[in-house]
Amino acid sequence: MHEIELSDGIITLSPLRLDDVEAHLTGEDKLLVRWLNGGPGTREGVEAYFRHCREQWDAAGPLRAFGIRAGADKLLAGTIDLRFTGEGLAPAR
C-alpha cells in the first residue's frame, strides 16, 4: 500500500500504523472505553485491530481507518473510520 496523507497544514489524516499503538493506548479515557471500546484496550488487541485496518486498505476493503495527527511531528491525536458497507446501510448506487 502506498502511504496516503491528507493535510491542511495543521491536521493530517493518514492510515493507522503499528507505531501508533502506544499513543492510542495512552489516549484512552473513560468515555472512549465506555462508548467505543467496550473495555480498556490491550496492546495485543489494538495491534490486531490496526493490522486489520491496514489489511482493509491493502485489499480495498470496506473500512478506511485514519489516524488524526497534529503538529509538526504528526503525533496521533485521534482516529476516524470511514465504512463503505455496514449493517443497516443501503448498497451504493
Side-chain angles (χ1 to χ4, degrees), residues 9 12 15 22 24 32 39-42 46 50 60 62 67 72 75 84 86 89 92-93:
T12 301
E22 188 62 38
H24 178 78
L32 180 74
T42 64
V46 173
F50 283 14
L75 299 174
F84 295 105
L89 294 177
R93 295 179 186 198

Side-chain angles (χ1 to χ4, degrees), residues 48-81:
Y49 179 69
F50 283 14
R51 280 190 190 94
H52 170 72
C53 293
R54 188 60 94 162
E55 290 165 2
Q56 289 289 294
W57 276 99
D58 292 343
L63 168 66
R64 299 293 181 280
F66 291 90
I68 303 168
R69 302 171 194 290
D73 294 334
K74 298 180 182 172
L75 299 174
L76 187 70
T79 64
I80 188 166
D81 294 355

Side-chain angles (χ1 to χ4, degrees), residues 36-50:
L36 297 178
N37 295 352
T42 64
R43 175 166 298 283
E44 296 78 20
V46 173
E47 285 177 358
Y49 179 69
F50 283 14

